[in-house]
Amino acid sequence: MDAGVDTLQKALQINLDPRWYGTIAEIGAGQEVARWFFRAGGAAGTVAKTMSAYDMSVSDAVYGKSDRYVSKGRLQAMLDHEFQLNVDRLGDDRGDDTSFFAFADTVVARSYRGGNECHGWMGVKFQSHPRDEPSQVVLHVRMLDDEAALQQEALGVVGVNLLHAAFFQHHQPETLVESLLDRLTTGRIEVDLIELSGIEFRAVDNRLMALKLVQLGLSGAAMFGPDRHVLQPSEVLRKKAILVERGSFRPPTVVNVAMLEAARARFEADPAVAGREILLLGELTMANLRAGGDVVDRRDFLARADLLAACGLTVLISDYVAYHRLAAYLAWRTDGAIGMVMGVPSLIDLFDEESHAALPGGILESFGRLLKNDLRLFVYPMLRDGEVVTVDTVRVGEELQPLYDYLHRRGSFVGLDDFDPAHLPILSRDVLRRIPTDDESWEAMVPAEVAALIRKRGFFGYRRER
């Protein structure tokens, strides 16, 4: 796709608008963003200064010491420094008529040796009106092209898109997100974090922006913590042992929590986990959030997110319906052990051959991908016809039982035998059905902090007047 015409038009529109004036500072992949503004013409009306502090000592002298140069902390230091310089140096002369900005990026593109991760941080700190408090947009991007020159080009286009969106679409945050890949494709650039802050974005919940990234295909996954702040997945997952539970969490029940606690006890006893920090994740898939339709109910999503936060869980939103794709995503970002927590019904679903039809090797390829690197499934029992079904008593299709028995014997399925039999009948959908009614028995089926938040916030139809 030819990015040139559209990107030049955006750069020219900014150059010809007398409101915006500021700095473009770029480290790591040339001056690819600034180049578009000079090519478009009229850059003197927009660009007060461009710079590239490639040498680490020079960079430290300008922006302060940093342990990592391609990091959010370094980007923030660049944005703060350059923005304040503009205000201090130019505010008296033109502050009444000018909205100052600072754009910065710090990236690592493909080296001539190749093989390195190609990613970086990019952001803009800007005034939407003269003398206004600043607002800010920060992104983390991954460059997916094979050649450094193409990566540089893509980075320049995203930078122009970001500046244009911040200046002209800050009042429509979702449109701002959608425009980031104008004239590009998701095969060239991935955006796995966006954080909007400052006066123009004071009403924005960045968890909704994280959801938007995955909805649009800008990233296969996005993440946020119990404090509601969005997280950059690679940084959070790096070198940790990961234990992830997929669910609807509508709402989280005592069973969801018990599954994770029982799995953690078994997981941390594994010698491969010794000495590693364990990260517990609650995963929501886009398929579950869409609930068979095309639209995600935002209030429902935020309710689930708040309830998982109340349980202290970091949340991963993913578009990886197939478990082996989730496994690959996590394994690429950590060298630590990975465990997946599920109930017996989900384990049985894994032995449905039709669900693996998209792979050339079918169910065998799927399990091969899922269980490589010694990934293990921690499986909680279920109740069927009054009988407790465990990993030891599961029966799948006759032709697939030998495969099940082999994987069980090799230790891929770990039965969780620390469970309360009274909890086994509890299902999220049953709890959900009771919440809007006068049947208060649901409160004992969820953790106390979940029940308190549902009552306080009126989630899932709970009538607060009661």
Side-chain angles (χ1 to χ4, degrees), residues 10 161-162 164-166 168-182 194 196 201 204 209 212 216 218 298:
K10 285 188 176 186
N161 287 342
L162 173 58
H164 189 272
F168 300 111
Q169 295 166 336
H170 55 258
H171 55 292
Q172 295 177 300
E174 294 209 3
T175 304
L176 183 155
V177 176
E178 290 169 3
S179 68
L180 291 175
L181 286 200
D182 283 355
I194 183 167
L196 286 68
F201 304 121
V204 171
M209 299 301 103
K212 189 72 175 177
L216 294 171
L218 289 167
R298 295 182 181 196

Side-chain angles (χ1 to χ4, degrees), residues 65-381:
K65 287 278 187 182
S66 182
D67 294 331
R68 294 167 60 202
Y69 291 87
V70 180
S71 67
K72 186 182 180 186
R74 171 54 98 202
L75 175 72
Q76 193 63 59
M78 294 170 72
L79 291 172
D80 292 343
H81 177 82
E82 298 297 349
F83 180 83
Q84 196 58 47
L85 275 184
N86 288 330
V87 173
D88 293 344
R89 291 172 174 172
L90 304 170
D92 289 344
D93 290 339
R94 54 186 302 170
D96 291 338
D97 304 309
T98 300
S99 298
F100 294 115
F101 76 89
F103 172 91
D105 64 48
T106 174
V107 303
V108 53
R110 185 167 298 282
S111 70
Y112 67 90
R113 295 189 191 92
N116 58 299
E117 183 185 2
C118 307
H119 73 109
W121 292 86
M122 172 184 292
V124 58
K125 186 171 185 176
F126 67 100
Q127 295 172 323
S128 57
H129 307 286
R131 305 290 187 190
D132 200 7
E133 293 178 36
S135 300
Q136 181 173 286
V137 185
V138 167
L139 312 177
H140 181 266
V141 300
R142 293 180 59 231
M143 293 92 79
L144 307 178
D145 286 310
D146 291 330
E147 299 175 22
L150 291 174
Q151 291 183 0
Q152 291 170 340
E153 178 197 58
L155 194 73
V157 173
V158 176
V160 174
N161 287 342
L162 173 58
L163 279 164
H164 189 272
F167 295 161
F168 300 111
Q169 295 166 336
H170 55 258
H171 55 292
Q172 295 177 300
E174 294 209 3
T175 304
L176 183 155
V177 176
E178 290 169 3
S179 68
L180 291 175
L181 286 200
D182 283 355
R183 311 309 295 173
L184 289 171
T185 67
T186 52
R188 297 193 66 188
I189 286 281
E190 176 185 282
V191 182
D192 61 6
L193 176 143
I194 183 167
E195 184 178 66
L196 286 68
S197 58
I199 190 166
E200 286 295 340
F201 304 121
R202 58 193 179 278
V204 171
D205 190 321
N206 280 304
R207 295 174 301 174
L208 286 173
M209 299 301 103
L211 174 67
K212 189 72 175 177
L213 291 178
V214 182
Q215 276 184 294
L216 294 171
L218 289 167
S219 178
M223 185 182 285
F224 49 85
D227 59 2
R228 303 172 63 158
H229 290 159
V230 289
L231 302 168
Q232 201 281 307
S234 294
E235 288 193 353
V236 176
L237 298 171
R238 184 172 178 264
K239 294 189 175 181
K240 292 187 178 69
I242 310 297
L243 200 57
V244 56
E245 178 179 350
R246 172 178 290 184
S248 69
F249 304 112
R250 196 170 183 254
T253 67
V254 290
V255 177
N256 292 128
V257 174
M259 288 168 67
L260 262 180
E261 290 176 349
R264 178 173 186 149
R266 297 294 298 271
F267 191 55
E268 61 189 4
D270 186 339
V273 178
R276 297 266 188 175
E277 181 182 348
I278 297 174
L279 177 66
L280 303 181
L281 292 177
E283 186 213 9
L284 291 165
T285 66
M286 287 305 302
N288 184 279
L289 289 169
R290 289 190 184 106
D294 295 326
V295 179
V296 175
D297 183 326
R298 295 182 181 196
R299 290 178 62 189
D300 176 81
F301 163 71
L302 289 175
R304 295 196 240 180
D306 284 340
L307 294 172
L308 286 169
C311 297
L313 286 178
T314 297
V315 177
L316 181 73
I317 312 165
S318 92
D319 206 18
Y320 305 130
V321 176
Y323 278 100
H324 69 81
R325 294 189 64 208
L326 173 62
Y329 175 85
L330 297 173
W332 193 82
R333 288 158 176 81
T334 183
D335 58 358
I338 299 171
M340 293 185 177
V341 186
M342 61 181 64
V344 164
S346 296
L347 178 62
I348 292 173
D349 287 344
L350 280 175
F351 284 83
D352 174 10
E353 288 197 84
E354 287 187 10
S355 65
H356 309 284
L359 291 174
I363 192 171
L364 293 178
E365 181 178 351
S366 181
F367 273 113
R369 292 186 179 196
L370 174 61
L371 300 175
K372 72 177 184 179
N373 304 318
D374 293 324
L375 183 146
R376 294 190 296 165
L377 307 182
F378 294 84
V379 186
Y380 202 74

Side-chain angles (χ1 to χ4, degrees), residues 11-60:
L12 183 61
Q13 184 183 356
I14 294 171
N15 282 348
L16 296 179
D17 193 314
R19 288 175 293 176
W20 318 109
Y21 197 65
T23 298
I24 299 176
E26 301 178 79
I27 300 177
Q31 290 191 299
E32 295 303 313
V33 178
R35 185 169 67 89
W36 283 104
F37 290 93
F38 293 123
R39 280 181 60 192
T46 298
V47 181
K49 180 182 75 175
T50 69
M51 71 176 296
S52 293
Y54 271 73
D55 185 272
M56 291 182 183
S57 297
V58 172
S59 183
D60 285 346

